Amino acid sequence: MRDFSQDHRWLSINTATVRKQQGAEVPLATIIDQCAERGIRAISPWRDQVAAAGLDATARQLRAHGMELSGYCRGGFFPAADGAGLRAALDDNRRAIDEAKTLNAACLVLVVGALPGALGGTPLYTDITRARSEVFDGIAASLEYARQVGMPLAIEPLHPMQAADRACINTLEHALDICDALDAQKTGALGVALDVYHVWWDPKLQAQIARAGKERLLAFHVCDWRLPTRDLLSDRGMMGDAVIELKKIRQWVEAAGFEGYAEVEIFSALDWWLRPGQETLDTCIARHRSVV
Ligand code: ZN
């Protein structure tokens, strides 16, 4: 396993981690500068942040800092109640693929969606089997375009607590089944984003990571699972503050051949988003070296 204790060469910051600092939204350009000042070599930004900052301006700023993208957040949300909605989702994913390409991202992360409308509290249907079928078709259609432009798609299985509203793919095994069905040759065009927050509890985790192998492991996200968890979405912990065995999981991932970034992704409305961004980033660096 790689030694992270001496430097933070393999640290990436998902920009959601510091999108709010002392309670206020911070522009992406500021976040990129804060990361560059600390010698952080990679980030994973969100589409809304990039849209606000400007796609070309963001690409220029990244190039000026020699900074790369460990991933781009995010595509997905394929299910819809009707044909027009399904087509709109595919169009939106095509735009996300183009943006990821402009930013030269390592992959486009897919949060695949679930019951349409559930995110707003009113699902338009409740058939999760149908949602999974629409997700499968949506990934298949998007993969065709992604292959043409050369942008790998990374399915991110989410914790089952988010099966209704954000993603109806909830285990690494399920994500890999879809990868095998759509990309049997393991071309590198389709794989997974493995986020410890979503999968740490899975009794099949080690075996499925070995099954995934280097070709399917496109991204690795780290944070920690707080006790108690006070909010289903935005109460993630800092690495080392709670119960996820980070080094053990990284060992499995690297044994399978993964050699990329450990991307810190912490949504923390009640803690880290209230602190100064400098403190959050410096803590990420320290914990990357000590516990990741
Ligand atoms: Zn993630």
Side-chain angles (χ1 to χ4, degrees):
M1 188 161 79
R2 292 172 294 177
D3 178 10
F4 282 180
S5 68
Q6 303 303 311
D7 57 54
H8 52 285
R9 165 80 179 74
W10 292 109
L11 167 67
S12 171
I13 297 292
N14 186 298
T15 56
T17 306
V18 280
R19 73 174 302 148
K20 284 186 188 160
Q21 303 181 11
Q22 294 175 299
E25 194 84 19
V26 173
L28 181 60
T30 304
I31 294 171
I32 291 173
D33 285 339
Q34 289 173 328
C35 288
E37 281 163 20
R38 287 168 174 74
I40 293 167
R41 301 172 358 98
I43 61 168
S44 182
W46 287 66
R47 288 185 77 195
D48 66 308
Q49 294 176 304
V50 170
L55 180 62
D56 292 331
T58 301
R60 273 197 305 276
Q61 190 187 6
L62 290 167
R63 271 197 305 275
H65 285 306
M67 205 179 263
E68 49 184 6
L69 260 59
S70 55
Y72 187 48
C73 296
R74 56 183 166 37
F77 283 89
F78 295 107
D82 55 32
L86 292 170
R87 280 190 299 279
L90 291 182
D91 290 345
D92 191 49
N93 275 279
R94 181 183 274 247
R95 284 191 292 274
I97 290 166
D98 288 338
E99 291 165 26
K101 194 67 192 167
T102 299
L103 296 172
N104 200 23
C107 59
L108 175 67
V109 173
L110 299 181
V111 170
V112 296
L115 305 177
L119 207 49
T122 312
L124 301 172
Y125 65 71
T126 57
D127 182 350
I128 196 168
T129 305
R130 172 178 165 187
R132 288 183 169 136
S133 156
E134 290 174 358
V135 162
F136 185 90
D137 293 346
I139 295 173
S142 299
L143 183 59
E144 245 176 81
Y145 182 64
R147 279 189 198 279
Q148 283 171 32
V149 303
M151 177 49 57
L153 300 180
I155 303 169
E156 182 163 1
L158 297 201
H159 191 283
M161 68 181 170
Q162 295 179 331
D165 55 4
R166 282 191 168 74
C168 57
I169 296 178
N170 307 104
T171 62
L172 179 55
E173 183 174 31
H174 186 185
L176 291 173
D177 287 347
I178 293 173
C179 291
D180 286 351
L182 295 176
D183 177 53
Q185 277 75 45
K186 293 197 172 189
T187 60
L190 183 61
V192 296
L194 190 76
D195 187 328
V196 297
Y197 192 72
H198 295 299
V199 300
W200 70 274
W201 55 273
D202 185 347
K204 293 184 177 176
L205 185 59
Q206 183 178 9
Q208 292 299 318
I209 287 173
R211 170 190 172 194
K214 186 182 171 68
E215 296 80 10
R216 295 276 194 242
L217 291 168
L218 302 183
F220 179 54
H221 301 171
V222 296
C223 65
D224 215 331
W225 182 276
R226 272 186 47 91
L227 295 173
T229 290
R230 300 161 293 183
D231 182 278
L232 295 191
L233 178 68
S234 55
D235 195 29
R236 296 180 176 212
M238 176 62 66
M239 300 81 72
D241 279 351
V243 300
I244 300 181
E245 295 180 296
L246 288 161
K247 278 191 196 290
K248 184 187 280 183
I249 298 176
R250 183 162 74 87
Q251 191 182 356
W252 294 342
V253 165
E254 296 199 8
F258 180 76
E259 296 172 319
Y261 288 97
E263 177 184 318
V264 177
E265 184 181 35
I266 301 174
F267 311 135
S268 176
L270 299 170
D271 188 351
W272 294 96
W273 286 350
L274 302 176
R275 304 198 199 193
Q278 291 85 348
E279 180 189 348
T280 305
L281 289 172
D282 289 343
T283 307
C284 288
I285 291 170
R287 299 297 176 85
H288 175 83
R289 293 185 181 195
S290 60
V291 299
V292 173

